[in-house]
Amino acid sequence: MSKKIFGKIYDNKRSDSWASRLRKKRVAFLESLITSIPTPVKMLDVGGRPVFWEQSGFLNQDFREIELTFINLEPHNHPHCKCLVGDARNLHQFKDKEFDIVFSNSVIEHVGDYNDQCQMANEIKRVGKRYFVQTPNLYFPIEPHFLFPYFQFLSVDIKAWLFTHFSMGWYPKISDEQEARDLATQTQLLSKKILINLFPEATLYEEKIFGLTKSLIVY
């Protein structure tokens, strides 16, 4: 896993963008699901950062008691949250069912291959009584990180060539060829079938834009 990946895609988004609006709707959907949980609600954000919740407006609300913990490859700080350093595939810091809900947004596609994704899914289910996991849809026409049509289906060689010749989405042009090849292999988008295999007991929700499924949520 690259520490450059977790949370990176949120830093450059305008608060009025369609992505921000989708994010706020996602958080509102989460809130609707946890209204019945007695407070204080202990929630773990796996791979997230406080900026996501600030941009969604969640941390500005005081109507619900939320004990929010973040775990990420990079250190972060927030005055009202606990921020820890760790790996989504091995949440050894936490006991079984320690959290009322485990949340993860656009992270599981960055942890590695299918075996790595299985490890993350199993850890989420181990430490959480409930979970809410979102990931971009493999078959959405525009790859969400690099903003290029069907980029996810290109070969590693073509992806690396594009990285060394153009700025791609949220990423500037890369001069080092090996770094470009590394980036080309770091994102493994999930299909609906793969996500259901990882979370077979979950309810699946599809986020749509223009009638197309942009991202998938299991809860």
Side-chain angles (χ1 to χ4, degrees):
M1 283 184 297
S2 169
K3 68 180 182 180
K4 297 179 182 178
I5 296 295
F6 281 172
K8 182 183 193 312
I9 63 173
Y10 299 112
D11 292 348
N12 299 319
K13 290 180 179 176
R14 302 191 341 260
S15 60
D16 62 343
S17 68
W18 60 266
S20 295
R21 292 195 292 270
L22 278 178
R23 182 166 60 248
K24 289 179 180 179
K25 287 181 63 176
R26 190 175 306 146
V27 172
F29 180 41
L30 170 66
E31 290 178 347
S32 73
L33 295 175
I34 65 177
T35 52
S36 61
I37 302 176
T39 58
V41 177
K42 293 186 65 176
M43 184 162 69
L44 174 68
D45 185 336
V46 177
R49 304 199 303 182
V51 65
F52 171 89
W53 301 97
E54 290 170 347
Q55 291 177 351
S56 68
F58 189 88
L59 289 181
N60 299 325
Q61 301 178 38
D62 58 4
F63 62 86
R64 180 179 294 114
E65 272 191 88
I66 300 287
E67 295 180 4
L68 185 54
T69 299
F70 294 90
I71 188 161
N72 196 295
L73 289 176
E74 294 181 314
H76 298 283
N77 292 291
H78 192 276
H80 305 303
C81 306
K82 183 185 296 184
C83 299
L84 305 174
V85 174
D87 191 320
R89 299 165 298 183
N90 182 6
L91 302 176
H92 64 274
Q93 301 94 328
F94 307 121
K95 299 179 293 186
D96 292 358
K97 308 304 178 188
E98 182 170 342
F99 295 93
D100 295 307
I101 186 163
V102 178
F103 176 90
S104 187
N105 186 82
S106 294
V107 173
I108 196 167
E109 70 271 16
H110 295 303
V111 298
D113 61 17
Y114 181 74
N115 288 332
D116 295 301
Q117 293 170 348
C118 282
Q119 292 176 36
M120 177 177 170
N122 290 337
E123 283 292 83
I124 285 174
K125 290 183 280 188
R126 180 183 68 80
V127 304
K129 300 173 187 175
R130 307 164 184 84
Y131 55 80
F132 185 101
V133 177
Q134 181 271 353
T135 188
N137 176 25
L138 171 65
Y139 294 108
F140 188 70
I142 305 298
E143 205 284 340
H145 307 94
F146 308 110
L147 305 182
F148 192 90
Y150 297 105
F151 183 84
Q152 60 270 41
F153 300 114
L154 300 178
S155 69
V156 171
D157 289 340
I158 295 176
K159 290 178 181 178
W161 184 88
L162 288 169
F163 289 144
T164 57
H165 287 78
F166 305 98
S167 295
M168 300 292 294
W170 312 114
Y171 296 82
K173 186 169 68 172
I174 299 172
S175 58
D176 183 85
E177 291 187 8
Q178 186 56 53
E179 183 181 352
R181 293 189 68 85
D182 289 343
L183 182 58
T185 61
Q186 283 176 3
T187 303
Q188 302 291 328
L189 296 183
L190 287 75
S191 66
K192 186 189 306 186
K193 180 179 179 181
I194 291 175
L195 191 61
I196 291 173
N197 285 342
L198 294 174
F199 298 94
E201 66 290 327
T203 298
L204 177 74
Y205 175 79
E206 300 181 34
E207 287 185 332
K208 293 183 180 291
I209 183 169
F210 305 123
L212 300 174
T213 300
K214 183 182 182 299
S215 62
L216 306 165
I217 295 171
V218 284
Y219 65 95

